[in-house]
Amino acid sequence: MTSQDGFHKAFADGLGFPDFYGRNMDAWLDCMSCIDAPESGMSDVFIPSGGLLVIRIRNAEIMRKADPDLWKEMQECVEYANEELRKHGGSRIRIVKGPADNDDEPQNT
């Protein structure tokens, strides 16, 4: 995931975003903010109310260096999605570095 296209393809495929997914950060945020609402149809993956979705990004340091703006925007969008999720059930999303980085420290809580 070293480009916008790669990022959106990975998430759309991995989480089963709908066919109309716009492949931009606004659309990504829409899908992630509904990750606890199966009735929304925004993802094939759901977490229960109060649950935690951990997204492990392999080679996160490569992604961060290749597109620092995308990395920062993803972090900001996760923070915003978590604010929205707290409003309706308290679920959370956390991004962690993958094993290729030899570091499992959370990137977002």
Side-chain angles (χ1 to χ4, degrees), residues 38-75:
E39 68 280 1
S40 71
M42 299 299 279
S43 175
D44 291 340
V45 174
F46 302 100
I47 52 176
S49 181
L52 173 66
L53 173 64
V54 176
I55 300 170
R56 185 173 304 273
I57 298 182
R58 291 179 175 261
N59 299 309
E61 193 59 24
I62 293 170
M63 176 189 169
R64 187 188 65 76
K65 287 180 180 177
D67 194 336
D69 292 336
L70 174 61
W71 182 261
K72 182 180 177 188
E73 192 171 14
M74 177 187 65
Q75 298 292 326

Side-chain angles (χ1 to χ4, degrees), residues 12-102:
D13 293 349
L15 297 179
F17 291 169
D19 291 340
F20 60 84
Y21 173 59
R23 297 188 186 283
N24 59 60
M25 291 310 283
D26 287 336
W28 188 84
L29 183 56
D30 289 343
C31 291
M32 297 303 287
S33 296
C34 295
I35 202 80
D36 64 344
E39 68 280 1
S40 71
M42 299 299 279
S43 175
D44 291 340
V45 174
F46 302 100
I47 52 176
S49 181
L52 173 66
L53 173 64
V54 176
I55 300 170
R56 185 173 304 273
I57 298 182
R58 291 179 175 261
N59 299 309
E61 193 59 24
I62 293 170
M63 176 189 169
R64 187 188 65 76
K65 287 180 180 177
D67 194 336
D69 292 336
L70 174 61
W71 182 261
K72 182 180 177 188
E73 192 171 14
M74 177 187 65
Q75 298 292 326
E76 291 169 353
C77 286
V78 168
E79 288 177 25
Y80 184 80
N82 281 332
E83 289 175 22
E84 292 300 306
L85 290 167
R86 274 192 278 281
K87 293 177 185 176
H88 47 89
S91 300
R92 288 187 30 216
I93 300 165
R94 183 173 12 175
I95 304 289
V96 297
K97 293 179 181 178
D101 298 298
N102 297 318

